[in-house]
Amino acid sequence: MTGRTVRRRTAAGAAAAALAVAAGVLGTGGGAAAVQAAPAAAAAPALAPAADCDVKKSAAPAEDPNGPTIRRIRQRGSLVVGVDQNSFNWGFRNPRTGRIEGFDIDLARAVAASVLGDPEKITFRTVPTARRIEAVKNGEVDLITRTMTITCERLKEVAFSAPYFRTGQQVVVPRAAKVTSLAQAFKGRLACVAAQSSSEAELKRDARGTSGVRVVENQLDCLVLMQLGQVDTTLTDGSLAAAQAAQDPTVQVLDEAISDAYMGVAVNKSAPDLVAWVNQVLVEYRSGGGWQQSYTRWLAPTMGASPAQYLP
């Protein structure tokens, strides 16, 4: 590797590292003061995974203003949402405005607008990948919109909305490595994954000949380590892989996908009224053009103008 390449990749790494600011900083949509973490929801009929674990199955869409969770959110006056602030185009802090923006953020605002009548009545709580389930179960947030894949294991701990995005696991590698296949990307190479992610679970199931797996707190940390030459390949959600490639032109996403998966909004299992409400929002969000508008703004430049393959 030439000195010029090292300097360019190190500079890119510094830029990505700047985006990977410490998780846990609170941001509010309209500049309002941050509210305290949402208390745990009152006891209610639990939502359990179906016997056949159909990850696309969720509560029927419904808006019940008398639901205990909805009443609590309205009394508080703000929807507390767990998000990412490091995933370009999905959930990231705009350096020019300081606002958290992206595809997942648009969806969160749509839920806030439906529940509270104002998309700005929202408090964003940035949550690392590894703490998403914990944050939902502990009542730190009302819900999570953070590129979270619905899995059978996660359904044992939290409830999910109906899917809002279809995805899969894909590999990000440095272009200089001249890798063209999944086999090349993994065999004898050090891979990187985010803790408690579907990618980590996948490589635990099948290490695919890697020389080892580096586990980090957030998926963007993998990009930084790859830029610094400390890992060889990254396995992550296909949507996040595209975001990494958009951030750094020295890396590329391999076309092959490992699995077919779906993203959903995570909610406490004791809040079925909120799950049903979110599902109604999703129905209206798709039929009313909100989903398409958000895709066109944030994702089309890196994932293609036609979103058909990503619709659940």
PDB file of all heavy atoms in Angstrom, residues 33-68:
ATOM      1  N   ALA A  33     -36.328  20.771  25.286  1.00  0.00           N
ATOM      2  CA  ALA A  33     -35.491  20.091  26.270  1.00  0.00           C
ATOM      3  C   ALA A  33     -35.789  18.610  26.256  1.00  0.00           C
ATOM      4  O   ALA A  33     -36.919  18.177  26.056  1.00  0.00           O
ATOM      5  CB  ALA A  33     -35.775  20.675  27.659  1.00  0.00           C
ATOM      6  N   ALA A  34     -34.754  17.815  26.507  1.00  0.00           N
ATOM      7  CA  ALA A  34     -34.930  16.366  26.523  1.00  0.00           C
ATOM      8  C   ALA A  34     -35.785  15.964  27.711  1.00  0.00           C
ATOM      9  O   ALA A  34     -35.683  16.537  28.785  1.00  0.00           O
ATOM     10  CB  ALA A  34     -33.566  15.678  26.601  1.00  0.00           C
ATOM     11  N   VAL A  35     -36.630  14.979  27.530  1.00  0.00           N
ATOM     12  CA  VAL A  35     -37.454  14.493  28.627  1.00  0.00           C
ATOM     13  C   VAL A  35     -36.777  13.300  29.254  1.00  0.00           C
ATOM     14  O   VAL A  35     -35.839  12.734  28.710  1.00  0.00           O
ATOM     15  CB  VAL A  35     -38.859  14.084  28.127  1.00  0.00           C
ATOM     16  CG1 VAL A  35     -39.540  15.245  27.475  1.00  0.00           C
ATOM     17  CG2 VAL A  35     -38.791  12.896  27.181  1.00  0.00           C
ATOM     18  N   GLN A  36     -37.239  12.907  30.411  1.00  0.00           N
ATOM     19  CA  GLN A  36     -36.697  11.727  31.063  1.00  0.00           C
ATOM     20  C   GLN A  36     -37.075  10.486  30.276  1.00  0.00           C
ATOM     21  O   GLN A  36     -38.029  10.477  29.507  1.00  0.00           O
ATOM     22  CB  GLN A  36     -37.249  11.617  32.484  1.00  0.00           C
ATOM     23  CG  GLN A  36     -36.765  12.747  33.403  1.00  0.00           C
ATOM     24  CD  GLN A  36     -37.306  12.589  34.797  1.00  0.00           C
ATOM     25  OE1 GLN A  36     -38.253  11.839  35.016  1.00  0.00           O
ATOM     26  NE2 GLN A  36     -36.707  13.280  35.743  1.00  0.00           N
ATOM     27  N   ALA A  37     -36.320   9.428  30.520  1.00  0.00           N
ATOM     28  CA  ALA A  37     -36.615   8.175  29.833  1.00  0.00           C
ATOM     29  C   ALA A  37     -38.027   7.730  30.155  1.00  0.00           C
ATOM     30  O   ALA A  37     -38.517   7.930  31.263  1.00  0.00           O
ATOM     31  CB  ALA A  37     -35.623   7.098  30.263  1.00  0.00           C
ATOM     32  N   ALA A  38     -38.665   7.117  29.164  1.00  0.00           N
ATOM     33  CA  ALA A  38     -40.033   6.656  29.355  1.00  0.00           C
ATOM     34  C   ALA A  38     -40.067   5.581  30.428  1.00  0.00           C
ATOM     35  O   ALA A  38     -39.251   4.670  30.428  1.00  0.00           O
ATOM     36  CB  ALA A  38     -40.573   6.087  28.051  1.00  0.00           C
ATOM     37  N   PRO A  39     -41.001   5.657  31.379  1.00  0.00           N
ATOM     38  CA  PRO A  39     -41.107   4.607  32.386  1.00  0.00           C
ATOM     39  C   PRO A  39     -41.606   3.332  31.757  1.00  0.00           C
ATOM     40  O   PRO A  39     -42.194   3.333  30.679  1.00  0.00           O
ATOM     41  CB  PRO A  39     -42.142   5.192  33.363  1.00  0.00           C
ATOM     42  CG  PRO A  39     -42.973   6.122  32.525  1.00  0.00           C
ATOM     43  CD  PRO A  39     -42.010   6.713  31.540  1.00  0.00           C
ATOM     44  N   ALA A  40     -41.369   2.236  32.421  1.00  0.00           N
ATOM     45  CA  ALA A  40     -41.829   0.949  31.898  1.00  0.00           C
ATOM     46  C   ALA A  40     -43.343   0.974  31.763  1.00  0.00           C
ATOM     47  O   ALA A  40     -44.061   1.540  32.591  1.00  0.00           O
ATOM     48  CB  ALA A  40     -41.408  -0.174  32.844  1.00  0.00           C
ATOM     49  N   ALA A  41     -43.844   0.363  30.707  1.00  0.00           N
ATOM     50  CA  ALA A  41     -45.278   0.369  30.464  1.00  0.00           C
ATOM     51  C   ALA A  41     -46.005  -0.443  31.522  1.00  0.00           C
ATOM     52  O   ALA A  41     -45.470  -1.393  32.086  1.00  0.00           O
ATOM     53  CB  ALA A  41     -45.558  -0.210  29.076  1.00  0.00           C
ATOM     54  N   ALA A  42     -47.241  -0.054  31.786  1.00  0.00           N
ATOM     55  CA  ALA A  42     -48.053  -0.808  32.732  1.00  0.00           C
ATOM     56  C   ALA A  42     -48.333  -2.196  32.186  1.00  0.00           C
ATOM     57  O   ALA A  42     -48.277  -2.434  30.989  1.00  0.00           O
ATOM     58  CB  ALA A  42     -49.367  -0.061  32.980  1.00  0.00           C
ATOM     59  N   ALA A  43     -48.636  -3.103  33.093  1.00  0.00           N
ATOM     60  CA  ALA A  43     -48.877  -4.488  32.676  1.00  0.00           C
ATOM     61  C   ALA A  43     -50.020  -4.540  31.681  1.00  0.00           C
ATOM     62  O   ALA A  43     -51.024  -3.865  31.820  1.00  0.00           O
ATOM     63  CB  ALA A  43     -49.210  -5.334  33.900  1.00  0.00           C
ATOM     64  N   ALA A  44     -49.835  -5.342  30.649  1.00  0.00           N
ATOM     65  CA  ALA A  44     -50.851  -5.502  29.604  1.00  0.00           C
ATOM     66  C   ALA A  44     -50.631  -6.860  28.968  1.00  0.00           C
ATOM     67  O   ALA A  44     -49.587  -7.492  29.171  1.00  0.00           O
ATOM     68  CB  ALA A  44     -50.714  -4.404  28.554  1.00  0.00           C
ATOM     69  N   PRO A  45     -51.604  -7.349  28.227  1.00  0.00           N
ATOM     70  CA  PRO A  45     -51.417  -8.652  27.584  1.00  0.00           C
ATOM     71  C   PRO A  45     -50.156  -8.659  26.739  1.00  0.00           C
ATOM     72  O   PRO A  45     -49.946  -7.795  25.898  1.00  0.00           O
ATOM     73  CB  PRO A  45     -52.687  -8.779  26.704  1.00  0.00           C
ATOM     74  CG  PRO A  45     -53.689  -7.902  27.372  1.00  0.00           C
ATOM     75  CD  PRO A  45     -52.909  -6.753  27.931  1.00  0.00           C
ATOM     76  N   ALA A  46     -49.293  -9.608  27.007  1.00  0.00           N
ATOM     77  CA  ALA A  46     -47.997  -9.660  26.313  1.00  0.00           C
ATOM     78  C   ALA A  46     -48.166 -10.134  24.883  1.00  0.00           C
ATOM     79  O   ALA A  46     -49.054 -10.933  24.575  1.00  0.00           O
ATOM     80  CB  ALA A  46     -47.047 -10.598  27.054  1.00  0.00           C
ATOM     81  N   LEU A  47     -47.296  -9.626  24.019  1.00  0.00           N
ATOM     82  CA  LEU A  47     -47.254 -10.076  22.637  1.00  0.00           C
ATOM     83  C   LEU A  47     -46.146 -11.103  22.518  1.00  0.00           C
ATOM     84  O   LEU A  47     -44.983 -10.799  22.756  1.00  0.00           O
ATOM     85  CB  LEU A  47     -46.978  -8.897  21.700  1.00  0.00           C
ATOM     86  CG  LEU A  47     -48.085  -7.850  21.599  1.00  0.00           C
ATOM     87  CD1 LEU A  47     -47.579  -6.656  20.816  1.00  0.00           C
ATOM     88  CD2 LEU A  47     -49.303  -8.431  20.927  1.00  0.00           C
ATOM     89  N   ALA A  48     -46.478 -12.317  22.190  1.00  0.00           N
ATOM     90  CA  ALA A  48     -45.478 -13.377  22.086  1.00  0.00           C
ATOM     91  C   ALA A  48     -45.307 -13.775  20.631  1.00  0.00           C
ATOM     92  O   ALA A  48     -46.215 -13.614  19.827  1.00  0.00           O
ATOM     93  CB  ALA A  48     -45.932 -14.597  22.901  1.00  0.00           C
ATOM     94  N   PRO A  49     -44.106 -14.287  20.253  1.00  0.00           N
ATOM     95  CA  PRO A  49     -43.911 -14.736  18.884  1.00  0.00           C
ATOM     96  C   PRO A  49     -44.825 -15.902  18.549  1.00  0.00           C
ATOM     97  O   PRO A  49     -45.143 -16.729  19.400  1.00  0.00           O
ATOM     98  CB  PRO A  49     -42.436 -15.160  18.856  1.00  0.00           C
ATOM     99  CG  PRO A  49     -42.089 -15.402  20.291  1.00  0.00           C
ATOM    100  CD  PRO A  49     -42.920 -14.456  21.082  1.00  0.00           C
ATOM    101  N   ALA A  50     -45.294 -15.959  17.334  1.00  0.00           N
ATOM    102  CA  ALA A  50     -46.154 -17.055  16.912  1.00  0.00           C
ATOM    103  C   ALA A  50     -45.395 -18.367  17.007  1.00  0.00           C
ATOM    104  O   ALA A  50     -44.164 -18.409  16.972  1.00  0.00           O
ATOM    105  CB  ALA A  50     -46.617 -16.814  15.478  1.00  0.00           C
ATOM    106  N   ALA A  51     -46.137 -19.455  17.125  1.00  0.00           N
ATOM    107  CA  ALA A  51     -45.518 -20.755  17.285  1.00  0.00           C
ATOM    108  C   ALA A  51     -44.580 -21.080  16.132  1.00  0.00           C
ATOM    109  O   ALA A  51     -43.531 -21.698  16.320  1.00  0.00           O
ATOM    110  CB  ALA A  51     -46.600 -21.831  17.409  1.00  0.00           C
ATOM    111  N   ASP A  52     -44.942 -20.650  14.933  1.00  0.00           N
ATOM    112  CA  ASP A  52     -44.098 -20.925  13.777  1.00  0.00           C
ATOM    113  C   ASP A  52     -43.101 -19.796  13.522  1.00  0.00           C
ATOM    114  O   ASP A  52     -42.359 -19.823  12.555  1.00  0.00           O
ATOM    115  CB  ASP A  52     -44.965 -21.147  12.529  1.00  0.00           C
ATOM    116  CG  ASP A  52     -45.846 -19.934  12.214  1.00  0.00           C
ATOM    117  OD1 ASP A  52     -45.849 -18.980  13.014  1.00  0.00           O
ATOM    118  OD2 ASP A  52     -46.517 -19.953  11.171  1.00  0.00           O
ATOM    119  N   CYS A  53     -43.082 -18.807  14.412  1.00  0.00           N
ATOM    120  CA  CYS A  53     -42.144 -17.684  14.342  1.00  0.00           C
ATOM    121  C   CYS A  53     -42.141 -17.037  12.965  1.00  0.00           C
ATOM    122  O   CYS A  53     -41.118 -16.980  12.289  1.00  0.00           O
ATOM    123  CB  CYS A  53     -40.732 -18.139  14.719  1.00  0.00           C
ATOM    124  SG  CYS A  53     -39.606 -16.750  14.948  1.00  0.00           S
ATOM    125  N   ASP A  54     -43.272 -16.546  12.559  1.00  0.00           N
ATOM    126  CA  ASP A  54     -43.383 -15.802  11.316  1.00  0.00           C
ATOM    127  C   ASP A  54     -42.953 -14.368  11.591  1.00  0.00           C
ATOM    128  O   ASP A  54     -43.679 -13.605  12.239  1.00  0.00           O
ATOM    129  CB  ASP A  54     -44.828 -15.856  10.815  1.00  0.00           C
ATOM    130  CG  ASP A  54     -45.033 -15.103   9.509  1.00  0.00           C
ATOM    131  OD1 ASP A  54     -44.068 -14.493   9.018  1.00  0.00           O
ATOM    132  OD2 ASP A  54     -46.164 -15.118   8.991  1.00  0.00           O
ATOM    133  N   VAL A  55     -41.771 -13.976  11.116  1.00  0.00           N
ATOM    134  CA  VAL A  55     -41.238 -12.656  11.449  1.00  0.00           C
ATOM    135  C   VAL A  55     -42.029 -11.528  10.795  1.00  0.00           C
ATOM    136  O   VAL A  55     -41.846 -10.362  11.162  1.00  0.00           O
ATOM    137  CB  VAL A  55     -39.744 -12.545  11.058  1.00  0.00           C
ATOM    138  CG1 VAL A  55     -38.914 -13.539  11.848  1.00  0.00           C
ATOM    139  CG2 VAL A  55     -39.547 -12.728   9.562  1.00  0.00           C
ATOM    140  N   LYS A  56     -42.892 -11.845   9.864  1.00  0.00           N
ATOM    141  CA  LYS A  56     -43.692 -10.812   9.214  1.00  0.00           C
ATOM    142  C   LYS A  56     -45.054 -10.617   9.901  1.00  0.00           C
ATOM    143  O   LYS A  56     -45.798  -9.707   9.552  1.00  0.00           O
ATOM    144  CB  LYS A  56     -43.907 -11.165   7.738  1.00  0.00           C
ATOM    145  CG  LYS A  56     -42.620 -11.230   6.925  1.00  0.00           C
ATOM    146  CD  LYS A  56     -42.880 -11.604   5.479  1.00  0.00           C
ATOM    147  CE  LYS A  56     -43.579 -10.494   4.728  1.00  0.00           C
ATOM    148  NZ  LYS A  56     -43.741 -10.802   3.284  1.00  0.00           N
ATOM    149  N   LYS A  57     -45.336 -11.451  10.880  1.00  0.00           N
ATOM    150  CA  LYS A  57     -46.630 -11.388  11.557  1.00  0.00           C
ATOM    151  C   LYS A  57     -46.560 -10.415  12.724  1.00  0.00           C
ATOM    152  O   LYS A  57     -45.619 -10.429  13.522  1.00  0.00           O
ATOM    153  CB  LYS A  57     -47.031 -12.770  12.059  1.00  0.00           C
ATOM    154  CG  LYS A  57     -48.437 -12.839  12.645  1.00  0.00           C
ATOM    155  CD  LYS A  57     -48.797 -14.265  13.003  1.00  0.00           C
ATOM    156  CE  LYS A  57     -50.213 -14.354  13.560  1.00  0.00           C
ATOM    157  NZ  LYS A  57     -50.588 -15.759  13.890  1.00  0.00           N
ATOM    158  N   SER A  58     -47.584  -9.564  12.841  1.00  0.00           N
ATOM    159  CA  SER A  58     -47.631  -8.591  13.928  1.00  0.00           C
ATOM    160  C   SER A  58     -49.089  -8.304  14.261  1.00  0.00           C
ATOM    161  O   SER A  58     -49.994  -8.889  13.676  1.00  0.00           O
ATOM    162  CB  SER A  58     -46.895  -7.308  13.520  1.00  0.00           C
ATOM    163  OG  SER A  58     -46.847  -6.382  14.581  1.00  0.00           O
ATOM    164  N   ALA A  59     -49.293  -7.393  15.206  1.00  0.00           N
ATOM    165  CA  ALA A  59     -50.657  -7.032  15.611  1.00  0.00           C
ATOM    166  C   ALA A  59     -51.403  -6.378  14.452  1.00  0.00           C
ATOM    167  O   ALA A  59     -50.805  -5.729  13.596  1.00  0.00           O
ATOM    168  CB  ALA A  59     -50.602  -6.072  16.794  1.00  0.00           C
ATOM    169  N   ALA A  60     -52.715  -6.561  14.446  1.00  0.00           N
ATOM    170  CA  ALA A  60     -53.533  -5.934  13.415  1.00  0.00           C
ATOM    171  C   ALA A  60     -53.469  -4.416  13.557  1.00  0.00           C
ATOM    172  O   ALA A  60     -53.475  -3.887  14.673  1.00  0.00           O
ATOM    173  CB  ALA A  60     -54.985  -6.398  13.541  1.00  0.00           C
ATOM    174  N   PRO A  61     -53.379  -3.687  12.441  1.00  0.00           N
ATOM    175  CA  PRO A  61     -53.326  -2.217  12.506  1.00  0.00           C
ATOM    176  C   PRO A  61     -54.563  -1.656  13.196  1.00  0.00           C
ATOM    177  O   PRO A  61     -55.692  -2.032  12.875  1.00  0.00           O
ATOM    178  CB  PRO A  61     -53.273  -1.802  11.036  1.00  0.00           C
ATOM    179  CG  PRO A  61     -52.759  -3.004  10.308  1.00  0.00           C
ATOM    180  CD  PRO A  61     -53.300  -4.184  11.053  1.00  0.00           C
ATOM    181  N   ALA A  62     -54.354  -0.774  14.160  1.00  0.00           N
ATOM    182  CA  ALA A  62     -55.474  -0.162  14.877  1.00  0.00           C
ATOM    183  C   ALA A  62     -54.969   1.053  15.638  1.00  0.00           C
ATOM    184  O   ALA A  62     -53.832   1.071  16.108  1.00  0.00           O
ATOM    185  CB  ALA A  62     -56.120  -1.152  15.847  1.00  0.00           C
ATOM    186  N   GLU A  63     -55.820   2.074  15.762  1.00  0.00           N
ATOM    187  CA  GLU A  63     -55.481   3.257  16.537  1.00  0.00           C
ATOM    188  C   GLU A  63     -56.471   3.379  17.687  1.00  0.00           C
ATOM    189  O   GLU A  63     -57.631   3.762  17.486  1.00  0.00           O
ATOM    190  CB  GLU A  63     -55.502   4.508  15.657  1.00  0.00           C
ATOM    191  CG  GLU A  63     -54.399   4.511  14.605  1.00  0.00           C
ATOM    192  CD  GLU A  63     -54.390   5.775  13.759  1.00  0.00           C
ATOM    193  OE1 GLU A  63     -55.357   6.562  13.884  1.00  0.00           O
ATOM    194  OE2 GLU A  63     -53.441   5.971  12.996  1.00  0.00           O
ATOM    195  N   ASP A  64     -56.015   3.017  18.881  1.00  0.00           N
ATOM    196  CA  ASP A  64     -56.865   3.069  20.072  1.00  0.00           C
ATOM    197  C   ASP A  64     -56.377   4.193  20.987  1.00  0.00           C
ATOM    198  O   ASP A  64     -55.380   4.038  21.700  1.00  0.00           O
ATOM    199  CB  ASP A  64     -56.795   1.728  20.812  1.00  0.00           C
ATOM    200  CG  ASP A  64     -57.641   1.732  22.077  1.00  0.00           C
ATOM    201  OD1 ASP A  64     -58.400   2.698  22.289  1.00  0.00           O
ATOM    202  OD2 ASP A  64     -57.541   0.763  22.862  1.00  0.00           O
ATOM    203  N   PRO A  65     -57.044   5.326  20.978  1.00  0.00           N
ATOM    204  CA  PRO A  65     -56.610   6.455  21.805  1.00  0.00           C
ATOM    205  C   PRO A  65     -56.705   6.166  23.297  1.00  0.00           C
ATOM    206  O   PRO A  65     -56.118   6.897  24.110  1.00  0.00           O
ATOM    207  CB  PRO A  65     -57.551   7.585  21.390  1.00  0.00           C
ATOM    208  CG  PRO A  65     -58.766   6.893  20.867  1.00  0.00           C
ATOM    209  CD  PRO A  65     -58.266   5.639  20.217  1.00  0.00           C
ATOM    210  N   ASN A  66     -57.431   5.118  23.664  1.00  0.00           N
ATOM    211  CA  ASN A  66     -57.572   4.758  25.077  1.00  0.00           C
ATOM    212  C   ASN A  66     -56.561   3.708  25.514  1.00  0.00           C
ATOM    213  O   ASN A  66     -56.569   3.287  26.672  1.00  0.00           O
ATOM    214  CB  ASN A  66     -58.997   4.249  25.345  1.00  0.00           C
ATOM    215  CG  ASN A  66     -60.029   5.341  25.134  1.00  0.00           C
ATOM    216  OD1 ASN A  66     -59.849   6.464  25.593  1.00  0.00           O
ATOM    217  ND2 ASN A  66     -61.112   5.011  24.431  1.00  0.00           N
ATOM    218  N   GLY A  67     -55.700   3.293  24.612  1.00  0.00           N
ATOM    219  CA  GLY A  67     -54.668   2.337  24.987  1.00  0.00           C
ATOM    220  C   GLY A  67     -53.749   2.942  26.045  1.00  0.00           C
ATOM    221  O   GLY A  67     -53.424   4.133  25.990  1.00  0.00           O
ATOM    222  N   PRO A  68     -53.306   2.155  27.044  1.00  0.00           N
ATOM    223  CA  PRO A  68     -52.509   2.716  28.148  1.00  0.00           C
ATOM    224  C   PRO A  68     -51.197   3.345  27.705  1.00  0.00           C
ATOM    225  O   PRO A  68     -50.790   4.375  28.250  1.00  0.00           O
ATOM    226  CB  PRO A  68     -52.278   1.503  29.061  1.00  0.00           C
ATOM    227  CG  PRO A  68     -52.487   0.305  28.186  1.00  0.00           C
ATOM    228  CD  PRO A  68     -53.539   0.709  27.207  1.00  0.00           C
TER     229      PRO A  68
END
